[in-house]
Amino acid sequence: GLEAEVEVSRQAECETCGGSGAAPGSSPQTCRTCGGRGQVIHRHNTILGVMATSTVCPDSRGRGTVISVPCADCRGRGVVQETQPVLVTIPPGIADGQRIRMPGQGDVPTGGGIPGDLLVLVRVQRHPLFVRHDRDLHMPLDLSFTQAALGDRLIVPTIDGEAEITVPAGAQSGDTISLPGHGLPP
């Protein structure tokens, strides 16, 4: 595991307007078309009576407010695109393709609100010596004919240092020698 600082491009609240979308010194106004509801109700006379349908207000785009003087930095959206550093804690033994969810580290929605979650997709690089099988680590070990026939004690690398193994006499190609406790953490 490790802690890594990652540069993330995400939507953040505009500091100039405080997320309102209106230029400093002005403020969003209640929409005259929808009266601040964000929806417009259309009534139609039909054979069965009056039918009402509701649609998103075309002027306020569902917000209920309109911005007459938009902020120059965010162009009235209330959010800007920023690149910010995020400290990601990657747990030991994580597998390739797993995701780490970081609550509140994602985009701020347009129009304000609670930031979403940041999902970090983990890509684990191949190790030059070890091959991973679930929590077990496998490593090829070349032996001489004499070592395989008569047995031997060898020092081998592990992810946390070196360890001694005993090769039994008569070892065959493809045999596995286990070192308990030297795989990946649970």
Side-chain angles (χ1 to χ4, degrees), residues 55-72:
T55 59
V56 174
C57 175
D59 295 335
S60 71
R61 297 186 193 126
R63 288 187 187 170
T65 58
V66 291
I67 299 169
S68 55
V69 183
C71 172

Side-chain angles (χ1 to χ4, degrees), residues 23-91:
S26 68
S27 62
Q29 304 297 314
T30 301
C31 178
R32 292 182 184 166
T33 305
C34 66
R37 291 185 306 273
Q39 297 180 359
V40 179
I41 297 173
H42 302 280
R43 296 185 193 327
H44 305 284
N45 290 325
T46 67
I47 298 172
L48 303 173
V50 177
M51 198 96 147
T53 57
S54 175
T55 59
V56 174
C57 175
D59 295 335
S60 71
R61 297 186 193 126
R63 288 187 187 170
T65 58
V66 291
I67 299 169
S68 55
V69 183
C71 172
D73 290 345
C74 67
R75 296 185 193 125
R77 294 183 61 230
V79 292
V80 291
Q81 201 69 25
E82 290 183 351
T83 300
Q84 300 171 334
V86 175
L87 187 64
V88 180
T89 302
I90 300 174

Side-chain angles (χ1 to χ4, degrees), residues 52-140:
T53 57
S54 175
T55 59
V56 174
C57 175
D59 295 335
S60 71
R61 297 186 193 126
R63 288 187 187 170
T65 58
V66 291
I67 299 169
S68 55
V69 183
C71 172
D73 290 345
C74 67
R75 296 185 193 125
R77 294 183 61 230
V79 292
V80 291
Q81 201 69 25
E82 290 183 351
T83 300
Q84 300 171 334
V86 175
L87 187 64
V88 180
T89 302
I90 300 174
I94 194 163
D96 185 57
Q98 279 187 290
R99 295 176 195 267
I100 298 172
R101 180 180 300 274
M102 300 183 67
Q105 296 293 321
D107 285 344
V108 171
T110 302
I114 298 170
D117 296 345
L118 173 65
L119 297 175
V120 179
L121 177 65
V122 177
R123 290 288 178 210
V124 179
Q125 294 178 352
R126 290 185 177 262
H127 193 274
L129 186 59
F130 301 110
V131 177
R132 182 177 179 168
H133 294 282
D134 295 323
R135 296 261 176 230
D136 298 332
L137 297 175
H138 294 246
M139 177 192 84

